[in-house]
Amino acid sequence: MLRSVLLIFFLFGAGATMAQDVEVIKYPQLGAIINTNEDGIKVINFWATWCKPCVEEIGYFEAANSQFRDKGVSVILVSFDFGKDVEKKVQKFIDKNDLRSRVLVLDETDYNSFIDKVSPSWSGAIPATLIVNSKTGKKQFYEKTFKEGELSEVIEAFIN
Amino acid sequence: MKKTISLLVLLAIVQVSAAPFDGGYEVGDIARDFQLKNVDGASVSLSDYKEAKGFIVVFTCNTCPYAKLYEQRIIALDKKYKGAGYPVIAIQPNDGSLSPGDSFEAMQANSNKKGFSFPYLLDETQEIARAYGAARTPHVFLLNKESGKLRVAYIGAIDNNHQDSNKADKKYVEDAVDALIASRKVPVTFTKAIGCTIKWSGT
């Protein structure tokens, strides 16, 4: 009994204070995040656990998430992992790397229907990153892998 | 001095890595021919296909999950349209040193295992992927022969459901080839899809 109480405490208590839980969404939910009227700047990175260049730059996004949080910037990692891999791969990746940024899995099939809505300059290749100030409508889009130090420079420039 | 050189090298890298997204063909452009090594060791050019009415050129690879999901559909496209004069020509553009699963040997093994009925060519210098403007795998460029020239008739995805071809209600490439065969206007000439970025050398 004590053991199961401890186990439950461990599972739920730990989950709340440590790494994030992955959320599965459809495009309209992402569209709402991009076009919301709330304050704040969002750095939305499109990635997948199977995408090597994406995984290599995740650390920069994690660093930016803590570095710029008090400046009203939040990092959102939007994964294109397939539905069956959400627990097996994405949640495992989050836990293993102790990710603190919000992680979403975009479970869509008709890609052509929303890529231009994120940015007309996006070919569809990942990694890709959208920085947006929803309130002012200011947007910047990058279809590339960031190098060390480059992402924080880009965010810094966007804020100022 | 050393600093200047490294700066120059850095600039060169930045320029090269920026190139793939700027250039490339748009629908209506004339596409260039090429000479690339096939998995059987032979060299393949589009001009070798005297009887072809056009080509379904697919930039694809062994390793990208999307390329894998579309592999059987690429084989099916070749089966369906080769006889009508529009064969599939698959080109693997990734740098094998950055993506070992896409080495020439790995391409040979994959082609043999899956029984590819079409050429599977290595774009070793990535010159063709750059010239065409391929950005991801898989990325289709449908070419139509018009008075000896190869005009780009469609650029984009194979269909609109990577997970399940039976659930795809828009078969972009099939619709486009069917239109060319029937001398109709191609209904949708450009689409986008999520795909794996091409592993460019020097990035």
Side-chain angles (χ1 to χ4, degrees):
Chain A
M1 177 61 193
L2 184 64
R3 210 185 223 177
S4 31
V5 169
L6 276 176
L7 186 68
I8 288 168
F9 174 78
F10 206 72
L11 284 174
F12 289 86
T17 53
M18 292 170 70
Q20 295 287 310
D21 286 332
V22 59
E23 305 162 57
V24 180
I25 59 157
K26 296 280 181 193
Y27 183 77
Q29 287 157 277
L30 179 63
I33 292 171
I34 295 172
N35 300 311
T36 171
N37 225 354
E38 288 164 21
D39 279 325
I41 288 156
K42 294 183 184 82
V43 178
I44 303 172
N45 172 245
F46 296 93
W47 70 295
T49 58
W50 44 257
C51 166
K52 202 174 140 206
C54 305
V55 168
E56 282 168 1
E57 66 172 5
I58 286 285
Y60 307 148
F61 286 90
E62 274 290 284
N65 189 47
S66 53
Q67 186 188 340
F68 293 102
R69 190 182 304 141
D70 55 4
K71 292 185 176 154
V73 177
S74 55
V75 170
I76 303 170
L77 305 172
V78 178
S79 152
F80 284 107
D81 280 87
F82 305 135
K84 61 178 172 54
D85 295 330
V86 170
E87 282 303 318
K88 203 166 63 180
K89 295 195 176 148
V90 184
Q91 190 61 53
K92 212 169 152 187
F93 183 88
I94 294 171
D95 295 340
K96 191 180 156 208
N97 296 286
D98 192 22
L99 297 189
R100 305 298 172 100
S101 307
R102 187 175 173 196
V103 182
L104 308 172
V105 169
L106 186 52
D107 179 27
E108 280 286 358
T109 46
D110 193 355
Y111 288 143
N112 187 55
S113 65
F114 69 82
I115 289 173
D116 278 341
K117 292 181 191 166
V118 174
S119 173
S121 60
W122 189 9
S123 83
I126 55 170
T129 302
L130 174 72
I131 306 180
V132 58
N133 182 334
S134 309
K135 206 149 201 181
T136 62
K138 185 180 173 190
K139 272 186 186 184
Q140 252 163 34
F141 185 79
Y142 301 87
E143 180 169 314
K144 59 176 281 182
T145 312
F146 286 99
K147 309 222 161 21
E148 177 132 42
E150 195 186 3
L151 179 64
S152 49
E153 278 172 30
V154 159
I155 296 172
E156 196 82 58
F158 188 91
I159 298 172
N160 297 320
Chain B
M1 179 61 189
K2 204 169 173 190
K3 219 171 191 177
T4 322
I5 290 174
S6 28
L7 188 68
L8 282 174
V9 169
L10 195 76
L11 279 174
I13 289 170
V14 167
Q15 277 188 338
V16 166
S17 60
F21 312 112
D22 300 336
Y25 296 141
E26 288 176 22
V27 171
D29 285 351
I30 301 297
R32 57 161 287 180
D33 198 356
F34 44 74
Q35 194 173 9
L36 296 173
K37 188 166 70 165
N38 191 13
V39 283
D40 64 4
S43 173
V44 170
S45 292
L46 298 178
S47 58
D48 301 338
Y49 293 75
K50 305 280 180 235
E51 306 300 317
K53 293 175 180 151
F55 301 93
I56 305 170
V57 175
V58 188
F59 290 90
T60 189
C61 67
N62 291 347
T63 53
C64 174
Y66 293 105
K68 288 183 194 169
L69 283 168
Y70 274 108
E71 211 161 48
Q72 290 304 320
R73 280 175 257 188
I74 294 168
I75 293 171
L77 281 174
D78 187 58
K79 259 196 196 114
K80 186 167 178 187
Y81 292 112
K82 192 191 269 173
Y86 292 88
V88 164
I89 308 286
I91 301 177
Q92 198 293 100
N94 289 334
D95 179 337
S97 66
L98 297 173
S99 182
D102 290 318
S103 69
F104 187 64
E105 293 69 29
M107 287 171 62
Q108 289 176 312
N110 194 37
S111 173
N112 284 336
K113 189 175 160 202
K114 307 288 168 47
F116 285 178
S117 53
F118 45 82
Y120 189 28
L121 310 175
L122 175 61
D123 184 11
E124 203 164 3
T125 63
Q126 307 183 312
E127 185 191 353
I128 304 308
R130 277 181 211 287
Y132 277 59
R136 57 181 191 268
T137 54
H139 202 167
V140 176
F141 291 75
L142 174 63
L143 311 181
N144 194 37
K145 224 182 247 178
E146 292 176 20
S147 33
K149 293 224 159 61
L150 296 165
R151 196 176 293 279
V152 179
Y154 170 80
I155 299 175
I158 289 169
D159 60 34
N160 69 341
N161 192 319
H162 57 280
Q163 287 175 6
D164 185 350
S165 60
N166 295 321
K167 288 188 186 147
D169 57 8
K170 289 176 191 136
K171 311 230 177 206
Y172 304 120
V173 171
E174 288 188 32
D175 291 350
V177 182
D178 287 343
L180 292 180
I181 291 169
S183 303
R184 280 186 283 111
K185 201 169 157 270
V186 172
V188 177
T189 58
F190 183 84
T191 59
K192 290 181 175 182
I194 301 299
C196 305
T197 188
I198 289 175
K199 310 299 180 288
W200 301 104
S201 306
T203 54

